[in-house]
Coordinates of all heavy atoms in Angstrom, one line a residue:
M1 N 0.8 -1.2 0.0 CA 0.0 0.0 0.0 C 0.9 1.2 0.0 O 1.8 1.4 0.8 CB -0.9 0.0 1.2 CG -1.8 1.2 1.3 SD -3.0 1.0 2.6 CE -2.5 2.3 3.7
E2 N 0.6 2.1 -0.9 CA 1.4 3.4 -1.0 C 0.8 4.4 0.0 O -0.4 4.5 0.2 CB 1.2 4.0 -2.4 CG 2.0 5.2 -2.6 CD 1.9 5.7 -4.0 OE1 2.3 5.0 -4.9 OE2 1.3 6.9 -4.2
A3 N 1.7 5.1 0.7 CA 1.3 6.1 1.7 C 1.9 7.4 1.2 O 3.1 7.5 0.8 CB 1.8 5.8 3.0
N4 N 1.1 8.5 1.3 CA 1.6 9.8 0.9 C 1.3 10.7 2.1 O 0.4 10.5 2.9 CB 0.8 10.4 -0.3 CG 1.0 9.6 -1.5 OD1 2.1 9.6 -2.0 ND2 0.0 9.0 -2.0
I5 N 2.2 11.7 2.3 CA 2.1 12.7 3.4 C 1.9 14.0 2.7 O 2.7 14.4 1.9 CB 3.3 12.7 4.3 CG1 3.4 11.3 5.0 CG2 3.1 13.8 5.3 CD1 4.6 11.2 5.9
L6 N 0.8 14.7 3.0 CA 0.6 16.0 2.5 C 0.7 17.0 3.7 O -0.1 16.9 4.6 CB -0.8 16.1 1.9 CG -1.3 17.5 1.4 CD1 -0.5 18.0 0.3 CD2 -2.8 17.3 1.0
L7 N 1.6 17.9 3.6 CA 1.8 18.9 4.7 C 1.3 20.2 4.2 O 1.6 20.7 3.1 CB 3.3 19.1 5.0 CG 4.0 17.8 5.5 CD1 5.5 18.1 5.7 CD2 3.4 17.4 6.8
I8 N 0.5 20.9 5.0 CA -0.1 22.2 4.6 C 0.2 23.1 5.8 O -0.1 22.9 6.9 CB -1.6 22.1 4.5 CG1 -2.0 21.1 3.4 CG2 -2.2 23.4 4.2 CD1 -3.4 20.8 3.3
R9 N 0.9 24.2 5.4 CA 1.2 25.2 6.4 C 0.0 26.1 6.5 O -0.8 26.3 5.6 CB 2.4 26.1 5.9 CG 2.9 27.1 6.8 CD 4.0 27.9 6.2 NE 4.6 28.8 7.1 CZ 4.2 30.0 7.3 NH1 3.2 30.5 6.6 NH2 4.8 30.8 8.2
H10 N -0.2 26.7 7.7 CA -1.3 27.6 7.9 C -1.2 28.8 6.9 O -0.2 29.1 6.4 CB -1.3 28.1 9.3 CG -0.1 28.9 9.7 ND1 0.1 30.2 9.3 CD2 1.0 28.5 10.3 CE1 1.3 30.6 9.8 NE2 1.9 29.6 10.4
A11 N -2.4 29.4 6.7 CA -2.4 30.6 5.8 C -1.7 31.8 6.5 O -1.4 31.7 7.7 CB -3.9 30.9 5.4
Q12 N -1.6 32.9 5.8 CA -0.9 34.0 6.4 C -1.6 34.5 7.7 O -2.8 34.7 7.7 CB -0.9 35.2 5.4 CG -0.1 36.4 5.9 CD -0.2 37.6 5.0 OE1 -1.3 38.2 4.9 NE2 0.8 37.9 4.3
A13 N -0.8 34.7 8.7 CA -1.3 35.2 10.0 C -0.6 36.5 10.3 O 0.4 36.9 9.7 CB -1.0 34.1 11.1
Y14 N -1.1 37.2 11.3 CA -0.6 38.5 11.6 C 0.9 38.4 12.0 O 1.7 39.3 11.7 CB -1.4 39.2 12.7 CG -2.7 39.8 12.1 CD1 -3.9 39.1 12.2 CD2 -2.7 40.9 11.3 CE1 -5.1 39.6 11.7 CE2 -3.9 41.4 10.8 CZ -5.0 40.8 11.0 OH -6.2 41.2 10.4
G15 N 1.3 37.4 12.7 CA 2.7 37.2 13.0 C 3.6 37.1 11.9 O 4.8 37.5 11.9
N16 N 3.1 36.6 10.7 CA 3.9 36.5 9.5 C 4.2 37.9 8.9 O 5.3 38.0 8.3 CB 3.2 35.7 8.4 CG 2.9 34.3 8.8 OD1 1.8 33.8 8.8 ND2 3.9 33.6 9.3
V17 N 3.4 38.8 9.1 CA 3.6 40.2 8.6 C 4.1 41.2 9.6 O 4.4 42.3 9.2 CB 2.3 40.7 7.9 CG1 2.0 39.8 6.7 CG2 1.2 40.8 8.9
S18 N 4.3 40.8 10.8 CA 4.7 41.7 11.9 C 6.2 41.9 11.9 O 6.7 42.9 12.4 CB 4.3 41.1 13.3 OG 5.1 40.0 13.6
G19 N 7.0 41.0 11.2 CA 8.4 41.1 11.2 C 9.1 40.7 12.5 O 10.3 40.7 12.6
K20 N 8.4 40.1 13.4 CA 9.0 39.7 14.7 C 9.5 38.2 14.5 O 9.0 37.5 13.7 CB 7.9 39.6 15.8 CG 7.4 41.0 16.2 CD 6.4 40.9 17.3 CE 5.9 42.2 17.7 NZ 4.8 42.1 18.7
I21 N 10.5 37.9 15.2 CA 11.1 36.6 15.2 C 10.9 36.1 16.6 O 11.2 36.7 17.6 CB 12.6 36.6 14.9 CG1 12.8 37.1 13.5 CG2 13.2 35.2 15.1 CD1 14.2 37.3 13.1
G22 N 10.5 34.8 16.8 CA 10.3 34.2 18.1 C 9.1 34.7 18.8 O 9.1 34.6 20.0
Y23 N 8.1 35.2 18.1 CA 6.9 35.6 18.9 C 6.1 34.4 19.3 O 6.3 33.3 18.7 CB 6.0 36.5 18.0 CG 5.4 35.8 16.8 CD1 4.1 35.4 16.9 CD2 6.1 35.5 15.7 CE1 3.4 34.7 15.9 CE2 5.4 34.8 14.6 CZ 4.1 34.4 14.8 OH 3.5 33.7 13.8
D24 N 5.3 34.6 20.3 CA 4.4 33.5 20.7 C 3.2 33.5 19.8 O 2.2 34.2 20.1 CB 4.0 33.7 22.2 CG 3.0 32.6 22.7 OD1 2.9 31.5 22.0 OD2 2.4 32.8 23.7
G25 N 3.2 32.7 18.8 CA 2.1 32.7 17.8 C 1.0 31.8 18.0 O 0.1 31.7 17.1
K26 N 0.9 31.1 19.2 CA -0.2 30.2 19.3 C -1.6 30.8 19.2 O -2.5 30.2 18.6 CB -0.1 29.5 20.7 CG -1.1 28.4 20.9 CD -0.8 27.6 22.2 CE -1.9 26.5 22.3 NZ -1.7 25.8 23.6
D27 N -1.7 32.0 19.7 CA -3.0 32.7 19.6 C -3.1 33.6 18.4 O -4.1 34.4 18.3 CB -3.3 33.5 20.9 CG -3.5 32.5 22.1 OD1 -4.0 31.4 21.9 OD2 -3.1 32.9 23.2
D28 N -2.2 33.6 17.5 CA -2.2 34.4 16.3 C -3.3 34.0 15.4 O -3.7 32.9 15.3 CB -0.8 34.1 15.6 CG -0.4 35.3 14.7 OD1 -1.1 36.4 14.8 OD2 0.6 35.2 14.0
T29 N -3.9 35.0 14.7 CA -5.1 34.8 13.8 C -4.7 35.2 12.4 O -3.7 35.8 12.1 CB -6.3 35.6 14.3 OG1 -5.9 37.0 14.3 CG2 -6.7 35.2 15.7
L30 N -5.5 34.7 11.5 CA -5.3 35.0 10.1 C -5.6 36.4 9.7 O -6.5 37.1 10.2 CB -6.2 34.1 9.2 CG -6.0 32.6 9.4 CD1 -6.9 31.8 8.4 CD2 -4.5 32.2 9.2
T31 N -4.8 36.9 8.7 CA -5.0 38.2 8.1 C -6.2 38.0 7.1 O -6.6 36.9 6.8 CB -3.8 38.7 7.4 OG1 -3.5 37.8 6.3 CG2 -2.6 38.9 8.3
E32 N -6.6 39.1 6.5 CA -7.6 39.0 5.4 C -7.1 38.2 4.3 O -7.8 37.4 3.7 CB -8.1 40.4 4.9 CG -8.9 41.2 6.0 CD -10.2 40.5 6.3 OE1 -10.9 40.0 5.4 OE2 -10.6 40.5 7.5
L33 N -5.8 38.4 3.9 CA -5.2 37.6 2.8 C -5.2 36.1 3.3 O -5.5 35.2 2.5 CB -3.8 38.1 2.5 CG -3.0 37.2 1.5 CD1 -3.7 37.1 0.2 CD2 -1.6 37.7 1.4
G34 N -4.9 35.9 4.5 CA -4.8 34.5 5.0 C -6.2 33.8 4.9 O -6.3 32.6 4.6
I35 N -7.2 34.6 5.2 CA -8.6 34.0 5.1 C -8.9 33.6 3.7 O -9.4 32.5 3.4 CB -9.6 35.0 5.7 CG1 -9.5 35.1 7.2 CG2 -11.1 34.6 5.3 CD1 -10.3 36.2 7.8
R36 N -8.5 34.5 2.7 CA -8.7 34.2 1.3 C -7.9 33.0 0.9 O -8.4 32.1 0.1 CB -8.4 35.4 0.4 CG -9.4 36.5 0.6 CD -9.2 37.6 -0.5 NE -7.9 38.2 -0.6 CZ -7.4 39.2 0.1 NH1 -8.2 39.8 1.0 NH2 -6.2 39.6 -0.1
Q37 N -6.7 32.9 1.4 CA -5.8 31.7 1.1 C -6.5 30.4 1.6 O -6.5 29.4 0.9 CB -4.4 31.9 1.7 CG -3.6 33.0 1.1 CD -2.3 33.2 1.9 OE1 -2.3 33.0 3.1 NE2 -1.3 33.7 1.2
A38 N -7.0 30.5 2.8 CA -7.6 29.3 3.4 C -8.8 28.9 2.7 O -9.1 27.7 2.4 CB -7.9 29.6 4.9
I39 N -9.6 29.8 2.2 CA -10.8 29.5 1.5 C -10.5 28.8 0.1 O -11.1 27.9 -0.3 CB -11.7 30.8 1.2 CG1 -12.3 31.2 2.6 CG2 -12.8 30.5 0.2 CD1 -12.9 32.6 2.5
S40 N -9.4 29.3 -0.5 CA -9.0 28.7 -1.8 C -8.4 27.3 -1.5 O -8.4 26.4 -2.5 CB -7.9 29.5 -2.5 OG -6.7 29.5 -1.9
L41 N -8.0 27.0 -0.3 CA -7.5 25.6 0.0 C -8.6 24.6 -0.2 O -8.4 23.4 -0.5 CB -7.0 25.6 1.4 CG -6.5 24.3 2.0 CD1 -5.3 23.8 1.3 CD2 -6.2 24.5 3.5
R42 N -9.9 25.0 0.1 CA -11.0 24.0 0.0 C -11.1 23.3 -1.3 O -11.1 22.1 -1.3 CB -12.3 24.8 0.3 CG -13.5 23.9 0.4 CD -14.8 24.8 0.6 NE -14.6 25.6 1.8 CZ -15.4 25.5 2.8 NH1 -16.4 24.6 2.9 NH2 -15.2 26.3 3.9
S43 N -11.1 24.0 -2.4 CA -11.2 23.3 -3.7 C -9.9 22.5 -4.0 O -10.0 21.5 -4.6 CB -11.5 24.3 -4.8 OG -10.4 25.3 -4.9
Q44 N -8.8 23.1 -3.6 CA -7.5 22.4 -3.9 C -7.5 21.0 -3.1 O -7.0 20.0 -3.7 CB -6.3 23.2 -3.5 CG -6.2 24.5 -4.4 CD -5.1 25.4 -3.8 OE1 -4.1 25.0 -3.4 NE2 -5.4 26.7 -3.9
L45 N -7.9 21.1 -1.9 CA -7.9 19.8 -1.1 C -8.9 18.8 -1.7 O -8.5 17.6 -1.7 CB -8.3 20.1 0.4 CG -7.2 20.4 1.3 CD1 -7.8 20.7 2.7 CD2 -6.1 19.4 1.4
S46 N -10.0 19.2 -2.1 CA -11.0 18.3 -2.6 C -10.4 17.6 -3.8 O -10.7 16.4 -4.0 CB -12.3 18.9 -2.9 OG -12.2 19.9 -3.9
R47 N -9.7 18.3 -4.7 CA -9.1 17.6 -5.9 C -8.0 16.6 -5.4 O -7.9 15.5 -5.9 CB -8.5 18.7 -6.8 CG -9.5 19.4 -7.6 CD -8.9 20.1 -8.8 NE -7.7 20.9 -8.4 CZ -7.7 22.2 -8.0 NH1 -8.8 22.8 -7.9 NH2 -6.5 22.8 -7.7
V48 N -7.1 17.0 -4.5 CA -6.0 16.2 -4.1 C -6.4 15.0 -3.4 O -5.9 13.9 -3.5 CB -5.0 17.0 -3.3 CG1 -3.9 16.2 -2.6 CG2 -4.4 18.1 -4.1
L49 N -7.4 15.1 -2.5 CA -7.9 14.0 -1.7 C -9.0 13.1 -2.3 O -9.3 12.1 -1.7 CB -8.3 14.6 -0.3 CG -7.3 15.3 0.5 CD1 -7.9 15.9 1.8 CD2 -6.1 14.5 0.8
E50 N -9.5 13.5 -3.4 CA -10.6 12.8 -4.0 C -10.2 11.3 -4.2 O -9.1 11.0 -4.7 CB -10.9 13.4 -5.4 CG -12.1 12.8 -6.0 CD -12.5 13.5 -7.3 OE1 -11.6 14.2 -7.9 OE2 -13.6 13.4 -7.7
N51 N -11.1 10.4 -3.8 CA -10.9 9.0 -3.9 C -9.7 8.4 -3.2 O -9.1 7.4 -3.6 CB -10.9 8.5 -5.4 CG -12.2 8.9 -6.1 OD1 -13.3 8.8 -5.5 ND2 -12.1 9.4 -7.3
R52 N -9.3 9.1 -2.1 CA -8.1 8.6 -1.3 C -8.5 8.4 0.1 O -9.4 9.2 0.6 CB -6.9 9.6 -1.4 CG -6.4 9.7 -2.8 CD -5.2 10.7 -2.7 NE -4.7 11.0 -4.1 CZ -3.5 10.8 -4.4 NH1 -2.6 10.4 -3.5 NH2 -3.1 11.1 -5.6
E53 N -7.9 7.5 0.8 CA -8.0 7.4 2.2 C -7.0 8.4 2.8 O -5.9 8.5 2.4 CB -7.7 6.0 2.7 CG -8.8 5.0 2.3 CD -8.5 3.7 2.9 OE1 -8.0 3.6 4.0 OE2 -8.9 2.7 2.3
Y54 N -7.4 9.1 3.9 CA -6.5 10.0 4.5 C -7.0 10.3 6.0 O -8.1 10.0 6.4 CB -6.5 11.3 3.8 CG -7.8 12.0 3.6 CD1 -8.3 12.9 4.6 CD2 -8.6 11.7 2.5 CE1 -9.5 13.5 4.5 CE2 -9.9 12.4 2.4 CZ -10.3 13.2 3.4 OH -11.5 13.8 3.2
S55 N -6.0 10.8 6.7 CA -6.3 11.3 8.1 C -5.7 12.6 8.2 O -4.7 13.0 7.5 CB -5.8 10.3 9.2 OG -4.4 10.2 9.1
I56 N -6.3 13.5 9.0 CA -5.9 14.8 9.2 C -5.5 15.1 10.6 O -6.3 14.8 11.5 CB -7.0 15.8 8.7 CG1 -7.2 15.6 7.2 CG2 -6.5 17.3 9.0 CD1 -8.4 16.4 6.7
S57 N -4.3 15.7 10.8 CA -3.9 16.1 12.2 C -3.6 17.6 12.1 O -3.0 18.1 11.2 CB -2.6 15.3 12.6 OG -2.8 13.9 12.7
L58 N -4.0 18.3 13.2 CA -3.8 19.7 13.3 C -3.1 20.1 14.6 O -3.3 19.4 15.6 CB -5.1 20.4 13.2 CG -6.1 20.1 12.1 CD1 -7.5 20.7 12.4 CD2 -5.5 20.7 10.8
S59 N -2.3 21.2 14.5 CA -1.8 21.7 15.8 C -2.9 22.4 16.5 O -4.0 22.6 16.0 CB -0.6 22.6 15.5 OG -1.0 23.9 15.1
E60 N -2.6 22.9 17.7 CA -3.6 23.7 18.5 C -3.6 25.2 18.2 O -4.4 25.9 18.7 CB -3.3 23.5 20.0 CG -3.4 22.1 20.5 CD -2.9 21.9 21.9 OE1 -1.8 22.3 22.2 OE2 -3.7 21.4 22.7
A61 N -2.7 25.6 17.3 CA -2.6 27.1 17.1 C -3.9 27.6 16.4 O -4.4 27.0 15.5 CB -1.4 27.3 16.2
N62 N -4.3 28.8 16.8 CA -5.5 29.4 16.3 C -5.4 29.5 14.8 O -6.3 29.3 14.0 CB -5.7 30.8 16.9 CG -6.4 30.7 18.2 OD1 -7.0 29.7 18.6 ND2 -6.3 31.8 19.0
R63 N -4.2 30.0 14.3 CA -4.1 30.2 12.8 C -4.2 28.9 12.1 O -4.8 28.8 10.9 CB -2.7 30.8 12.5 CG -1.5 30.0 12.9 CD -0.2 30.8 12.8 NE 0.9 30.1 13.2 CZ 1.3 29.9 14.4 NH1 0.7 30.5 15.4 NH2 2.4 29.2 14.7
T64 N -3.8 27.7 12.7 CA -4.0 26.4 12.0 C -5.5 26.0 12.0 O -6.0 25.6 11.0 CB -3.2 25.4 12.8 OG1 -1.8 25.8 12.7 CG2 -3.3 24.0 12.1
L65 N -6.1 26.2 13.2 CA -7.5 25.9 13.3 C -8.4 26.8 12.3 O -9.3 26.3 11.7 CB -8.0 26.0 14.7 CG -7.3 25.0 15.7 CD1 -7.7 25.3 17.1 CD2 -7.5 23.6 15.3
Q66 N -8.0 28.0 12.2 CA -8.7 28.9 11.3 C -8.5 28.5 9.9 O -9.5 28.5 9.1 CB -8.3 30.4 11.5 CG -8.8 31.1 12.6 CD -8.4 32.5 12.6 OE1 -7.2 32.9 12.5 NE2 -9.4 33.4 12.6
T67 N -7.3 28.1 9.5 CA -7.0 27.7 8.1 C -7.9 26.4 7.8 O -8.5 26.3 6.8 CB -5.5 27.4 8.0 OG1 -4.8 28.6 8.2 CG2 -5.2 26.8 6.6
A68 N -7.9 25.5 8.8 CA -8.7 24.3 8.6 C -10.2 24.6 8.5 O -10.9 24.0 7.7 CB -8.4 23.3 9.8
S69 N -10.7 25.6 9.3 CA -12.1 25.9 9.3 C -12.5 26.5 7.9 O -13.4 26.1 7.3 CB -12.4 26.9 10.4 OG -13.7 27.2 10.4
Y70 N -11.7 27.6 7.5 CA -12.0 28.3 6.3 C -11.7 27.3 5.1 O -12.4 27.4 4.0 CB -11.2 29.5 6.1 CG -11.7 30.7 6.9 CD1 -10.9 31.2 8.0 CD2 -12.9 31.3 6.6 CE1 -11.4 32.2 8.8 CE2 -13.3 32.4 7.4 CZ -12.6 32.8 8.5 OH -13.0 33.9 9.2
G71 N -10.8 26.4 5.3 CA -10.5 25.5 4.2 C -11.4 24.3 4.1 O -11.2 23.4 3.2
G72 N -12.4 24.2 4.9 CA -13.4 23.2 4.8 C -13.2 21.9 5.6 O -13.9 20.9 5.4
I73 N -12.1 21.9 6.4 CA -11.8 20.7 7.1 C -12.6 20.6 8.4 O -13.3 19.6 8.6 CB -10.3 20.6 7.4 CG1 -9.5 20.5 6.2 CG2 -10.0 19.5 8.4 CD1 -8.0 20.8 6.3
I74 N -12.6 21.7 9.2 CA -13.5 21.7 10.4 C -14.9 22.2 10.0 O -15.0 23.1 9.2 CB -12.9 22.7 11.4 CG1 -11.5 22.2 11.9 CG2 -13.8 22.9 12.6 CD1 -10.8 23.2 12.8
G75 N -15.8 21.5 10.5 CA -17.2 21.8 10.1 C -17.8 21.0 9.0 O -18.9 21.1 8.6
S76 N -17.0 20.1 8.4 CA -17.4 19.2 7.4 C -17.5 17.8 7.9 O -17.4 17.6 9.1 CB -16.4 19.2 6.2 OG -15.2 18.6 6.6
N77 N -17.8 16.8 7.1 CA -17.8 15.5 7.6 C -16.5 14.8 7.7 O -16.3 13.7 8.0 CB -18.7 14.6 6.6 CG -20.2 15.0 6.7 OD1 -20.6 15.5 7.8 ND2 -20.9 14.9 5.6
T78 N -15.4 15.6 7.4 CA -14.1 15.1 7.5 C -13.6 15.0 9.0 O -13.8 16.0 9.7 CB -13.1 16.1 6.8 OG1 -13.6 16.3 5.4 CG2 -11.7 15.6 6.8
S79 N -13.1 13.9 9.3 CA -12.6 13.8 10.7 C -11.1 14.3 10.8 O -10.4 14.2 9.8 CB -12.7 12.3 11.2 OG -11.9 11.5 10.4
F80 N -10.8 14.8 11.9 CA -9.4 15.3 12.2 C -9.1 15.1 13.6 O -10.0 14.9 14.5 CB -9.3 16.8 11.8 CG -10.2 17.7 12.6 CD1 -9.8 18.3 13.7 CD2 -11.5 17.9 12.1 CE1 -10.6 19.1 14.4 CE2 -12.4 18.7 12.9 CZ -11.9 19.3 14.0
V81 N -7.8 15.2 13.9 CA -7.3 15.1 15.3 C -6.5 16.3 15.6 O -5.6 16.7 14.9 CB -6.5 13.8 15.4 CG1 -5.9 13.7 16.8 CG2 -7.3 12.5 15.1
I82 N -6.7 16.9 16.8 CA -5.8 17.9 17.3 C -4.7 17.2 17.9 O -4.8 16.4 18.8 CB -6.6 18.8 18.3 CG1 -7.8 19.4 17.8 CG2 -5.6 19.9 18.9 CD1 -7.6 20.5 16.7
T83 N -3.5 17.5 17.4 CA -2.3 16.8 17.8 C -1.3 17.8 18.5 O -0.5 18.5 17.7 CB -1.6 16.1 16.6 OG1 -2.6 15.3 16.0 CG2 -0.5 15.2 17.0
P84 N -1.2 17.9 19.8 CA -0.3 18.8 20.4 C 1.2 18.6 20.0 O 2.0 19.6 20.0 CB -0.4 18.5 21.9 CG -1.8 18.0 22.0 CD -2.0 17.2 20.8
A85 N 1.6 17.5 19.6 CA 3.0 17.2 19.2 C 3.3 18.0 17.9 O 4.5 18.2 17.6 CB 3.2 15.7 18.9
L86 N 2.3 18.6 17.2 CA 2.5 19.4 16.0 C 2.7 20.9 16.4 O 3.0 21.7 15.5 CB 1.4 19.2 15.0 CG 1.3 17.9 14.4 CD1 0.0 17.8 13.5 CD2 2.5 17.5 13.6
N87 N 2.5 21.2 17.7 CA 2.7 22.6 18.1 C 4.1 23.0 17.9 O 5.0 22.2 18.0 CB 2.2 22.8 19.5 CG 0.8 22.6 19.7 OD1 0.0 22.6 18.8 ND2 0.4 22.4 21.0
E88 N 4.3 24.3 17.7 CA 5.6 24.9 17.6 C 6.4 24.7 18.9 O 5.8 24.7 20.0 CB 5.6 26.4 17.3 CG 5.1 26.7 15.9 CD 4.9 28.2 15.7 OE1 4.7 28.9 16.6 OE2 5.0 28.5 14.5
I89 N 7.7 24.6 18.8 CA 8.5 24.5 20.0 C 8.9 25.9 20.4 O 9.4 26.7 19.5 CB 9.7 23.7 19.8 CG1 9.3 22.2 19.4 CG2 10.7 23.7 21.0 CD1 10.5 21.4 18.9
D90 N 8.7 26.3 21.6 CA 9.1 27.7 22.1 C 10.6 27.7 22.3 O 11.2 27.0 23.1 CB 8.4 28.0 23.4 CG 8.8 29.4 23.9 OD1 9.6 30.1 23.3 OD2 8.1 29.8 24.9
M91 N 11.3 28.4 21.4 CA 12.8 28.5 21.4 C 13.3 29.7 22.3 O 14.4 30.0 22.3 CB 13.3 28.6 20.0 CG 13.0 27.4 19.1 SD 13.6 25.9 19.7 CE 15.3 26.1 19.3
G92 N 12.3 30.3 23.0 CA 12.7 31.4 23.8 C 12.8 32.7 23.0 O 12.4 32.8 21.9
S93 N 13.3 33.8 23.6 CA 13.4 35.1 23.0 C 14.8 35.3 22.5 O 15.8 34.9 23.1 CB 13.0 36.1 24.0 OG 13.2 37.4 23.5
L94 N 14.9 36.0 21.4 CA 16.2 36.4 20.9 C 16.8 37.7 21.5 O 17.9 38.1 21.3 CB 16.2 36.6 19.4 CG 15.8 35.3 18.6 CD1 15.7 35.6 17.1 CD2 16.9 34.2 18.8
C95 N 15.9 38.3 22.3 CA 16.3 39.6 22.9 C 16.8 39.4 24.3 O 16.4 38.6 25.0 CB 15.1 40.6 22.9 SG 14.5 40.9 21.2

């Protein structure tokens, strides 16, 4: 049986445009562009996943959950698992 892994990064969040390094982005939310990016994910995912078995794991970050929601993963009949092991590692502050 062939297995494929599809990795999807969250859509643009405010932390991505702030210019900060090492910010605590767990509660970061999507920008307007990020929302549009996540919405466009919906049709792309349906084409890629059509007629395939798959499972979906998400981190706990707001931006990830928002991407999944606007992208049609959360709120659909698709099952998913919140996986804390996918959360970012806090590397501390550079300052």
